[in-house]
Every structure is written in C-alpha cells, then in structure tokens.
Amino acid sequence: MVKMLKIGIVGCGAIGGSLAKIIKRDFAGRAFVAAVYDIADGKAADLSKRLCGSGRLAAGTLKQLIARSDLVIEAASAAHSREIARQALGARKDIMIMSVGGIVSHAAELRRLAQKNGSRVFIPSGAIAGIDGLKASGGVTVKKVILTTRKHPRSFAGVRYIQDKKIDLEAVTKDTVLFSGSAKDATVLFPQNINVAAVLSLAGIGAAKTEVRIIASPDTRNNIHEIEIESSAGKIFTRTENVLHPENPKTSYLAVLSAAAALRQIIEPVRVGT
Ligand SMILES: NC(=O)c1ccc[n+]([C@@H]2O[C@H](COP(=O)([O-])OP(=O)(O)OC[C@H]3O[C@@H](n4cnc5c(N)ncnc54)[C@H](O)[C@@H]3O)[C@@H](O)[C@H]2O)c1
C-alpha cells in the first residue's frame, strides 16, 4: 500500500490557501493536508473549514503542526522562514520553503541540519522560468546571471527601502529603476518582492554575484521577470509575465503552481526536467 504523504501548511494566506485547495483536488490518494497553522487569529480555522467543513486541521502551534506532518510547507513570511525550516528539520521532517528571501543567507546551515537529520529541503522555482537551464549550466562556468523584475508601483507599497528613499510610488508615471545591485542586497531590501532573486542565487552563482534590477512600471499589469544567463555552454534568456494572485498582488499565481509541481515531483516515481 502506498503511504500517504501528510502535509502541514504554515501560513494560510494566498499561497497556503491555494496550495491546500490544489492538494485536496489533485493529490487525493497520494498526499493530504494534515494540518494548517497561521499566526493570525482564526485564519487556520477558516482554511480548515474550507477544506474539511470543520476546524480540526487547525494546529494551535507550529510545534503541533510539525508533529502532525511528514512535509511542512512554509508559506508564511521571510522574517520567519528560517526558524520554521530549522524547527521542521530539527524534528526530522522535510520542508518546502516559499519565503526564500529569508533563508538565502542560511542555506548552508539548513543543508547541514537536513543532512544530520536525514531530512530534505525543497525550494520550488517559484514565479520564474529558467532554473532548469541554470542548474544544468552549473556543470560549466557560469559567467553572468541577471534578473530584471518589473512590477506595478503598488506592489512595492510598505517596503521600508522605498519609504527610507522617500520614493512616492503614486508619482511614478514611467518605468523607474528602484534598485540595481546584487541579489544579496536585493533580498535584504525587498524581502517580500524578490524571492525569485533568492531562488536564482541558490540555483546559480550565489547572491553576491547574481545581479538584480527592480523596476516600478506603471503600465505593467502582471509581474514580469526577465533572466539572462551567460555560461560557457551558451546563453539563456527567459521572460515570464505572471498573472497576479487574486488575494495578494505581491504574489504571482505561478508561484503556487510551481509549489504544486514541486510537490508532484516529490510524490511521483518519474521526474521530468532537471
Ligand atoms: N518563492 C516564490 O516565488 C514566492 C512567490 C510569491 C510569494 N512568496 C512568499 O511566500 C510567502 C507567502 O506568500 P502569500 O502571498 O501567501 O502571503 P500572504 O500574506 O497572503 O499570506 C501569508 C500568511 O502567513 C501568515 N504568517 C506570517 N508569519 C507567520 C508565521 N510566523 N507563522 C504562521 N503564519 C504566519 C500570515 O498571517 C498570512 O496569513 C511570503 O513570504 C511571500 O514573500 C514566494
């Protein structure tokens, strides 16, 4: 008999809620949502009710959620993803991390912890295309990785860097470069907007060498990510125009689908792609 994978979801917002629905719809018989947890009052109970008609899936604490899961999916926040991953790995559970900006500087620590406890860390490609080619290019010398992200100015509302620089997002009427520099700095300054830079860094040449440009673009309806990769194996260029998640305009819907695809890779005996 095939063992059903018990999934615990931390963070019941746009990604966590959508993923839970997909798991219930598409993974029946192979995996199921065993527990959900959120720091905001009532959110876990609400999601639980939507999933099974009662609050029984809502865990009271992160520790309880981890105890009820084989695989923990972090869809909470960059401020907490490292600690959530440490606790899951410490309990010998696998972890899938969505708030990649929060762990990009701690990947070595999580790798050690996972190795020590026989657990695994999964980081989906998220809202970009090209991670497959970048990973394959790791077998040769990768000279350059550049990410250019365009989002509507409103996507940057509440970002401390924008406030500190006194940039008036309402007054942005044409494409305006908000940031140009390393992925290392970008992930610190734009933790909620730039998970893609963190994934790209981990898959490629690291956060210090990966270059990032962030552009506020008033004519852009979708989140657009362009990636240029130059290696001794050739050149790669990808452009992704992502539909926004209806519940959170900072999040691309493709990020949800990418996590579902990563989950499928974990469960399925056949894996296609790097
Ligand atoms: N990897 C990617 O490509 C990618 C793409 C988009 C978003 N993200 C990241 O994924 C995360 C979730 O995104 P979202 O759109 O669902 O956000 P959201 O704001 O819609 O939902 C996040 C939920 O997590 C909860 N939460 C926050 N801190 C928590 C904690 N410590 N413990 C439990 N719950 C907590 C919040 O109360 C909220 O309900 C964010 O960090 C976001 O930056 C990653």
Side-chain angles (χ1 to χ4, degrees):
M1 204 174 78
V2 180
K3 186 174 171 267
M4 292 258 277
L5 184 72
K6 292 181 280 178
I7 298 173
I9 297 178
V10 183
C12 303
I15 293 183
S18 300
L19 255 184
K21 222 189 308 174
I22 292 174
I23 292 165
K24 187 176 175 198
R25 190 190 63 202
D26 295 351
F27 293 83
R30 293 171 294 167
F32 66 97
V33 178
V36 294
Y37 171 67
D38 199 293
I39 40 167
D41 262 358
K43 273 192 116 169
D46 282 351
L47 179 57
S48 173
K49 276 182 202 135
R50 274 185 274 142
L51 288 173
C52 70
S54 81
R56 72 180 163 81
L57 299 178
T61 64
L62 176 62
K63 207 171 166 194
Q64 285 171 10
L65 174 127
I66 291 171
R68 284 157 66 174
S69 314
D70 301 320
L71 168 69
V72 175
I73 299 181
E74 178 283 324
S77 93
H80 300 109
S81 55
R82 178 189 180 195
E83 189 47 36
I84 293 165
R86 278 161 52 141
Q87 289 200 35
L89 294 172
R92 299 178 177 272
K93 305 299 173 85
D94 293 337
I95 177 98
M96 182 181 288
I97 300 168
M98 296 308 292
S99 309
V100 193
I103 60 103
V104 67
S105 311
H106 310 287
E109 175 202 21
L110 297 186
R111 165 185 268 273
R112 273 196 305 275
L113 203 51
Q115 229 155 19
K116 184 174 141 212
N117 291 324
S119 307
R120 289 173 301 169
V121 178
F122 301 104
I123 299 174
S125 302
I128 46 173
I131 293 294
D132 51 353
L134 179 58
K135 278 167 66 182
S137 304
V140 295
T141 308
V142 178
K143 295 170 200 148
K144 214 185 257 185
V145 181
I146 306 172
L147 165 72
T148 304
T149 288
R150 278 186 189 76
K151 292 186 178 183
H152 192 276
R154 91 170 73 87
S155 301
F156 301 100
V159 173
R160 167 102 54 87
Y161 176 79
I162 302 293
Q163 291 160 356
D164 290 351
K165 290 260 170 190
K166 300 202 173 9
I167 297 169
D168 181 2
L169 293 169
E170 298 285 327
V172 173
T173 52
K174 59 178 175 34
D175 275 18
T176 304
V177 177
L178 298 179
F179 172 87
S180 178
S182 71
K184 191 165 191 238
D185 291 340
T187 49
V188 173
L189 298 172
F190 296 83
Q192 290 157 12
N193 296 77
I194 208 73
N195 289 291
V196 289
V199 176
L200 206 57
S201 302
L202 291 172
I205 54 178
K209 288 191 196 148
T210 302
E211 297 168 46
V212 174
R213 280 197 322 154
I214 301 175
I215 298 171
S217 178
D219 297 327
T220 298
R221 289 286 154 262
N222 301 331
N223 292 342
I224 301 176
H225 301 294
E226 290 174 350
I227 293 165
E228 296 167 63
I229 301 162
E230 230 182 277
S231 77
S232 47
K235 288 183 184 174
I236 297 171
F237 176 74
T238 71
R239 177 182 163 95
T240 334
E241 290 191 25
N242 289 315
V243 170
L244 308 186
H245 195 292
E247 286 157 38
N248 185 355
K250 287 182 187 149
T251 287
S252 301
Y253 197 70
L254 190 66
V256 173
L257 299 177
S258 161
L263 203 48
R264 208 163 283 123
Q265 296 240 34
I266 294 169
I267 294 167
E268 288 287 332
V270 177
R271 293 181 196 186
V272 180
T274 50

